[in-house]
Amino acid sequence: MKKEETTMKKRLLSTLLAAVMVGTMLTGCGGQKESGSGDGKENAKAENSITVLVESGSPAEALANETAAAFEEETGCKVVVDAVAYTGMYDKLSTEIKAGEATHDVGCLDVVWLAAFKDALEPVNDADTSDFLPTLEESGTLDGNLLGYPMWVNAKILIYRKDLIAEDQVPKTWEEYQALAKELATDDLYGTTVFGSGSDAVCSFLDFACQAGADGLVFDKDGKVNITDQAYADALNFMVENANADYTPADSLSTAATESQELFTNEKVAMQLNWSHQYPAAVAALGADKVGCAPMIGGSAGIGATTGPWYECVMKNSSNKEMAKKYVEYMYEHNGDYMDLTLKIAGRTSVYEEAGTEAGNEHTLAVLDTLGADQSQARPMVTTWSQIEEVLTGVVESCLGGADIEETLENAAAEIEAIGQ
């Protein structure tokens, strides 16, 4: 009896294993099923959801979460927000693109990544760009293709203590800026700061190069490295003069946007050239009666600044591309909602003009004037920007440390030429 039971169990087990193998084979051939077969759950999921990559803790994450329910109500499509730290976003997308996977349908991307990802992004050439803030259509376009809708842009402006600086004293030129910084400095107060650390130092260097007449940043319009031009030497000389002066902190090599803002809100600095979002933060810390703002200062070629925009982009390998396109258009329509968030920056001219009429948003008008200047321009749209930025960081640090400016620029030009675009 036991032998018969054992034999029956073996037969039953063999039957079950065969059934499992058949089921597995059918699953593996699922892509070849007729369109009418199956329950359609996978297709329904693809049609009714999109995944959006955002920087964790950023305005992009906040607004994506705030608008998700409304977008789903309007379209029937669920929005899954994937929030990743800035340092991990590039690597995550790179891995996804190389694998040919469609993990994300939409990516919120820093402008400096667009060149590296251009072949993986769906062009939005039918977009109405008439309300883009100045420079944003240009900086988002590669090889004739607009790669996304602007989310926001940031540029440096002048932020100053208006209880110490009268309106008619607000500096507009390099010379006025230096003279006022010297005049305001005391034993307890610095006139201004110098950014000598990291990417903020590079952006400041390029800001001043714009103001000194650079025609194309790092590369000219023909693609030739141009950092040995006089504009870059003038920019570095301006930074070195300020860093060596008694009216700035001695540790410029350790100073960037955050450190400068901390000095300002602790009432240790009379004025600073800092990112525009630092203005509302300073007003919140010190009060509207103590903080004012104005457009970026100008050098021999006038006002100029380099920009820091972000774009909302549709991934080309998205399995739900049409809904992804609807989403980025929807978010652009709601671009004004960014002004309700902590940084108070956006990507549309009309949003900045309207916001500037309200107390506390004066920085938006300063940004409009700065971006509208002829010398304001985007950083180069090249795949090697991260390597180039490392070279430029070394340039600023070396020159602030006492290195010869012309020699440093010549060596840097050779390094950048070797890196290529």
Side-chain angles (χ1 to χ4, degrees):
M1 186 69 177
K2 289 183 179 179
K3 184 176 181 181
E4 290 178 359
E5 287 179 358
T6 300
T7 301
M8 289 179 66
K9 287 180 180 179
K10 287 182 178 179
R11 287 175 181 172
L12 179 60
L13 180 60
S14 297
T15 301
L16 289 172
L17 287 172
V20 170
M21 288 178 67
V22 170
T24 302
M25 289 172 68
L26 288 174
T27 302
C29 297
Q32 298 180 22
K33 290 180 182 179
E34 292 183 7
S35 59
S37 63
D39 58 12
K41 288 182 179 179
E42 290 185 4
N43 288 336
K45 181 180 179 182
E47 291 173 1
N48 292 318
S49 71
I50 57 172
T51 300
V52 181
L53 178 67
V54 299
E55 180 189 4
S56 58
S58 72
E61 180 185 13
L63 193 59
N65 284 323
E66 286 181 11
T67 56
F71 182 77
E72 183 175 4
E73 183 177 351
E74 182 175 311
T75 64
C77 177
K78 182 180 180 180
V79 178
V80 179
V81 180
D82 182 18
V84 178
Y86 180 87
T87 53
M89 291 181 71
Y90 183 94
D91 291 340
K92 189 165 190 175
L93 269 187
S94 295
T95 301
E96 172 184 335
I97 291 167
K98 289 175 182 177
E101 298 175 350
T103 307
H104 297 96
D105 302 283
V106 174
C108 299
L109 307 182
D110 191 338
V111 65
V112 298
W113 298 336
L114 295 187
F117 296 144
K118 67 176 181 177
D119 293 334
L121 303 178
E122 184 72 14
V124 290
N125 293 329
D126 57 345
D128 179 2
T129 62
S130 60
D131 199 30
F132 284 21
L133 280 165
T135 74
L136 293 194
E137 181 178 4
E138 176 188 356
S139 62
T141 300
L142 270 172
D143 299 333
N145 289 317
L146 178 64
L147 298 178
Y149 282 84
M151 301 164 64
W152 64 74
V153 66
N154 217 343
K156 292 199 191 71
I157 59 173
L158 175 66
I159 302 172
Y160 64 93
R161 287 279 301 279
K162 69 179 183 181
D163 56 331
L164 302 177
I165 303 171
E167 188 173 348
D168 61 357
Q169 285 185 304
V170 175
K172 296 180 174 63
T173 67
W174 286 7
E175 293 77 17
E176 292 174 356
Y177 181 74
Q178 289 178 308
L180 184 60
K182 183 177 180 179
E183 178 185 332
L184 292 171
T186 67
D187 290 342
D188 300 317
L189 183 74
Y190 294 109
T192 190
T193 59
V194 175
F195 291 4
S197 175
S199 61
D200 281 334
V202 173
C203 286
S204 283
F205 171 36
L206 297 180
D207 285 341
F208 299 135
C210 288
Q211 296 159 25
D215 187 10
L217 293 178
V218 185
F219 300 93
D220 64 20
K221 294 178 180 178
D222 296 323
K224 182 180 177 182
V225 176
N226 68 353
I227 65 167
T228 55
D229 289 357
Q230 188 60 44
Y232 296 91
D234 291 346
L236 287 170
N237 274 311
F238 182 63
M239 296 181 76
V240 170
E241 285 177 12
N242 291 331
N244 291 339
D246 292 337
Y247 53 73
T248 61
D251 58 347
S252 293
L253 287 171
S254 302
T255 301
T258 300
E259 291 77 18
S260 179
Q261 176 75 346
E262 184 176 352
L263 287 168
F264 186 84
T265 55
N266 285 332
E267 301 188 58
K268 299 295 185 182
V269 170
M271 57 183 177
Q272 58 173 338
L273 299 172
N274 210 335
W275 298 105
S276 67
H277 72 271
Q278 301 286 13
Y279 169 76
V283 169
L286 297 177
D289 58 327
K290 283 190 173 183
V291 184
C293 66
M296 177 52 106
I297 60 175
S300 58
I303 293 174
T306 186
T307 60
W310 281 62
Y311 292 84
E312 198 139 36
C313 308
V314 175
M315 304 306 297
K316 191 172 284 185
N317 62 356
S318 165
S319 59
N320 202 356
K321 196 179 297 182
E322 290 306 311
M323 192 58 72
K325 289 180 180 178
K326 288 182 181 179
Y327 179 79
V328 297
E329 291 169 1
Y330 177 89
M331 294 300 285
Y332 181 68
E333 291 171 2
H334 289 77
N335 187 256
D337 294 345
Y338 281 116
M339 294 303 300
D340 298 327
L341 302 175
T342 52
L343 297 187
K344 293 192 173 185
I345 52 178
R348 300 183 65 162
T349 299
S350 60
V351 170
Y352 268 36
E353 289 175 340
E354 182 178 353
T357 64
E358 301 176 10
N361 292 332
E362 293 83 0
H363 64 296
T364 61
L365 299 182
V367 169
L368 278 174
D369 287 343
T370 300
L371 294 182
D374 290 340
Q375 279 301 114
S376 288
Q377 49 199 305
R379 285 166 287 179
M381 300 289 285
V382 294
T383 60
T384 55
W385 175 250
S386 60
Q387 296 164 270
I388 292 171
E389 187 175 56
E390 287 183 14
V391 174
L392 297 179
T393 300
V395 167
V396 176
E397 291 177 348
S398 295
C399 292
L400 291 183
D404 181 81
I405 288 174
E406 290 188 6
E407 182 180 349
T408 301
L409 287 173
E410 287 174 2
N411 292 337
E415 287 185 63
I416 293 171
E417 287 169 355
I419 291 169
Q421 297 187 47

